Amino acid sequence: MDLPTLQDFLAREFPQFEGEVLSLNETCCCLGLQIEDKHLRPGRTVSGPTLMALADVALYAAILARLGPIALAVTTDFTCHFLNKPSADRPLLAEASLLKLGKRLVIGEVRLFSEGEQACLAHVVATYSIPPQLTNARV
Amino acid sequence: MDLPTLQDFLAREFPQFEGEVLSLNETCCCLGLQIEDKHLRPGRTVSGPTLMALADVALYAAILARLGPIALAVTTDFTCHFLNKPSADRPLLAEASLLKLGKRLVIGEVRLFSEGEQACLAHVVATYSIPPQLTNARV
Amino acid sequence: MDLPTLQDFLAREFPQFEGEVLSLNETCCCLGLQIEDKHLRPGRTVSGPTLMALADVALYAAILARLGPIALAVTTDFTCHFLNKPSADRPLLAEASLLKLGKRLVIGEVRLFSEGEQACLAHVVATYSIPPQLTNARV
Amino acid sequence: MDLPTLQDFLAREFPQFEGEVLSLNETCCCLGLQIEDKHLRPGRTVSGPTLMALADVALYAAILARLGPIALAVTTDFTCHFLNKPSADRPLLAEASLLKLGKRLVIGEVRLFSEGEQACLAHVVATYSIPPQLTNARV
């Protein structure tokens, strides 16, 4: 899937997703999210679940970009290490790449940043299970 | 902290939290969340980030219950394994317990369920870092 | 598989495994390992990899006990939280139980102890992938 | 610590470690391990615990290289995703880099390879706790 097709698919299948796919190439899929009050925790930091939710969609988008429109890939495990405090005043960026594209499992990692800042906010590694019929056909 | 004190603290410090602390004892803190459309994904399943967000608050509540009102405990790592598909029609329950209450780190686990069902939906294990001054005083 | 069958299978397939299956029931598989000098790290603590290796075999044994002799189940992810310092002078115990027995993936957890002590040394949660032909036939 | 100092420290403190520090620069510490029969599992694959043990030492070496000789840094969590089957006939390589060097916690990641092959065998992310007195003095 190219960038506009991926954006259309996510808009249609994930109307709840408030972020945006910013760029897409062979190795990386980058998503952005504007920070609003509902994403904040005490101390004006972005909540951990906000970071994890963006990372989850970013990896899902990276998988879609490679395998085509698989609405039914499901997360099987998700590990996040929180590294630095996010800025409440800057959009959140997620850079997702795949570590392995297997027949049944896809494993990927995500690095999260505040736009314009160098420090990595969080590192995610997660596994997605691909429905059998699709992998037989496609991978 | 007892149950009403904990409920008050969360209501004040986490106005964004939509769930509820249901019960609290020496080994377990149980939270519930009513499922709404915004929590759903295609196929009428509850989204992974909804489960992870509830688990994160549940462990935070379990820590508060033991250490008192520490607004600044922060998640340092968070691992979730997704086990079974949640029901869209039942409240989500999270049962959190602590594995270790250390001077600087607290590690706990959470099991998530759909109310009235036996199958565990997801298992979370996570670490929280406690600010130094507080642990000197309390633990 | 019952306890003697499981012990025989492991002795035959895993001649490198130095531990022992101690007990087995519907919910839990318990393994033990005598601690030797090669398992120790500076400060006379048992090395983290020793704990992880025993936990890995314990979950594999718990899967064998339920699914029968599947020599080819492979670990896909493995998360360990280290909680307390192991004793160098006591055997290491691992209690493994399954969180989910799916068609393609099995997820389980392990708690590690020093024999005769209450404090949990480490908590492991891990996923194993089951070869397709076997799960079609058995699960 | 430079490469010879790090090699000497590991040889002295970790006489059990059978591998070798191959290279060291500002962003990466690379270790190698010759594969022997005791590292193998059925099917002539390198065992998961062998990969995890090498990754654990690799991150510890990367921390030593940055903080100096801290014999007491301890692993607090360790997550490994297994990606591809290792070759029994080639040395195992581990490339460790730090994601965050904090006052109390260091988080790093490791990628494992069979020498001369491109496919990543496993990805590890782990946290190490640094004793308080040392971090006050050094970081």
Side-chain angles (χ1 to χ4, degrees):
Chain A
M1 298 176 88
D2 59 9
L3 183 56
T5 315
L6 180 58
Q7 286 166 333
D8 285 355
F9 180 85
L10 282 175
R12 204 170 51 239
E13 296 287 333
F14 272 90
Q16 306 95 328
F17 175 54
E18 302 157 324
E20 192 183 354
V21 185
L22 300 175
S23 68
L24 181 64
N25 62 35
E26 291 232 335
T27 59
C28 187
C29 181
C30 183
L31 274 68
L33 177 74
Q34 300 296 327
I35 298 303
E36 302 170 28
D37 278 354
K38 66 180 172 185
H39 301 125
L40 300 182
R41 283 274 168 91
R44 282 190 65 70
T45 188
V46 181
S47 79
T50 298
L51 275 69
M52 294 196 287
L54 184 63
D56 188 45
V57 181
L59 266 179
Y60 181 61
I63 293 170
L64 291 174
R66 287 287 289 275
L67 292 189
I70 300 173
L72 294 170
V74 293
T75 314
T76 58
D77 67 78
F78 186 98
T79 294
C80 184
H81 282 77
F82 296 93
L83 307 171
N84 288 289
K85 188 180 163 179
S87 167
D89 306 315
R90 292 164 177 267
L92 199 59
L93 300 181
E95 297 178 358
S97 56
L98 302 187
L99 291 167
K100 184 188 178 184
L101 185 63
K103 285 183 205 161
R104 305 199 296 174
L105 297 177
V106 181
I107 297 123
E109 66 176 338
V110 188
R111 283 161 210 268
L112 292 137
F113 298 89
S114 290
E115 193 180 63
E117 296 188 350
Q118 283 218 323
C120 184
L121 305 178
H123 178 277
V124 168
V125 55
T127 306
Y128 292 72
S129 178
I130 309 295
Q133 64 281 22
L134 287 167
T135 54
N136 290 343
R138 276 173 215 276
V139 183
Chain B
M1 299 177 87
D2 58 10
L3 183 56
T5 316
L6 180 58
Q7 286 166 334
D8 285 355
F9 180 83
L10 281 175
R12 203 168 55 237
E13 296 287 332
F14 271 91
Q16 306 95 328
F17 175 53
E18 302 157 324
E20 192 183 355
V21 186
L22 300 175
S23 68
L24 180 64
N25 62 35
E26 291 233 335
T27 59
C28 187
C29 181
C30 183
L31 275 67
L33 178 74
Q34 300 295 327
I35 298 302
E36 302 171 26
D37 278 353
K38 66 180 172 183
H39 302 125
L40 300 182
R41 282 275 167 90
R44 282 189 67 69
T45 187
V46 181
S47 79
T50 298
L51 275 69
M52 295 196 287
L54 185 64
D56 188 44
V57 180
L59 266 180
Y60 181 61
I63 294 170
L64 290 174
R66 287 288 288 275
L67 292 189
I70 300 172
L72 295 169
V74 293
T75 315
T76 59
D77 68 77
F78 187 98
T79 293
C80 184
H81 282 78
F82 296 93
L83 307 171
N84 288 289
K85 188 181 164 179
S87 167
D89 305 315
R90 292 164 178 268
L92 198 60
L93 300 182
E95 297 178 358
S97 55
L98 302 187
L99 292 166
K100 185 191 179 184
L101 186 62
K103 285 183 203 161
R104 305 199 295 174
L105 297 178
V106 180
I107 296 122
E109 66 176 337
V110 188
R111 284 161 211 268
L112 292 137
F113 298 88
S114 290
E115 194 181 64
E117 296 188 352
Q118 283 218 322
C120 184
L121 305 179
H123 177 277
V124 167
V125 55
T127 306
Y128 292 73
S129 178
I130 310 296
Q133 63 279 22
L134 287 168
T135 54
N136 290 342
R138 275 175 217 275
V139 183
Chain C
M1 301 175 88
D2 59 11
L3 182 56
T5 316
L6 179 57
Q7 286 166 334
D8 285 354
F9 181 84
L10 282 175
R12 205 168 53 238
E13 297 287 333
F14 272 89
Q16 308 95 327
F17 175 53
E18 301 157 324
E20 192 183 354
V21 185
L22 300 176
S23 67
L24 180 64
N25 63 34
E26 290 233 335
T27 59
C28 187
C29 181
C30 182
L31 273 68
L33 178 74
Q34 300 296 328
I35 298 302
E36 302 170 26
D37 278 354
K38 66 179 173 184
H39 300 125
L40 300 182
R41 283 276 167 89
R44 283 189 65 72
T45 187
V46 181
S47 79
T50 298
L51 276 69
M52 294 195 288
L54 184 63
D56 188 44
V57 181
L59 266 179
Y60 181 61
I63 293 171
L64 291 173
R66 287 287 288 274
L67 293 189
I70 301 173
L72 295 169
V74 293
T75 315
T76 59
D77 68 77
F78 186 98
T79 293
C80 184
H81 282 78
F82 296 93
L83 306 172
N84 289 289
K85 189 180 163 181
S87 166
D89 306 315
R90 293 165 178 266
L92 198 59
L93 301 181
E95 298 178 358
S97 55
L98 302 187
L99 291 167
K100 184 189 179 184
L101 186 62
K103 285 183 204 160
R104 307 198 295 174
L105 298 177
V106 180
I107 297 123
E109 66 176 336
V110 187
R111 285 159 209 268
L112 293 137
F113 298 88
S114 289
E115 194 181 63
E117 295 189 352
Q118 283 218 323
C120 183
L121 306 179
H123 177 277
V124 168
V125 55
T127 306
Y128 292 73
S129 177
I130 309 296
Q133 64 280 24
L134 288 167
T135 54
N136 290 343
R138 276 174 215 275
V139 184
Chain D
M1 300 176 87
D2 59 10
L3 183 56
T5 316
L6 179 58
Q7 286 166 334
D8 285 355
F9 180 84
L10 281 175
R12 206 170 52 240
E13 297 286 335
F14 272 90
Q16 307 95 327
F17 175 53
E18 301 157 324
E20 192 183 354
V21 185
L22 300 176
S23 67
L24 181 64
N25 62 35
E26 291 232 335
T27 59
C28 187
C29 182
C30 182
L31 273 68
L33 178 75
Q34 300 296 327
I35 298 303
E36 301 170 27
D37 278 354
K38 67 179 172 184
H39 300 125
L40 300 183
R41 284 274 169 91
R44 281 188 68 70
T45 188
V46 181
S47 79
T50 299
L51 274 70
M52 295 196 286
L54 184 63
D56 188 44
V57 181
L59 266 179
Y60 181 61
I63 294 169
L64 291 174
R66 287 287 287 275
L67 293 189
I70 301 172
L72 295 169
V74 293
T75 314
T76 58
D77 68 77
F78 186 97
T79 293
C80 184
H81 282 77
F82 296 93
L83 306 171
N84 289 289
K85 189 181 163 181
S87 167
D89 306 314
R90 293 163 178 268
L92 198 59
L93 301 181
E95 298 178 358
S97 56
L98 303 186
L99 292 166
K100 184 189 180 185
L101 187 61
K103 286 183 203 160
R104 305 199 296 174
L105 298 177
V106 181
I107 297 123
E109 66 175 336
V110 187
R111 283 161 210 269
L112 292 137
F113 299 88
S114 289
E115 194 180 64
E117 296 189 351
Q118 283 217 324
C120 184
L121 306 179
H123 177 278
V124 168
V125 55
T127 306
Y128 292 73
S129 178
I130 309 296
Q133 63 281 22
L134 288 167
T135 53
N136 290 342
R138 276 174 215 276
V139 184

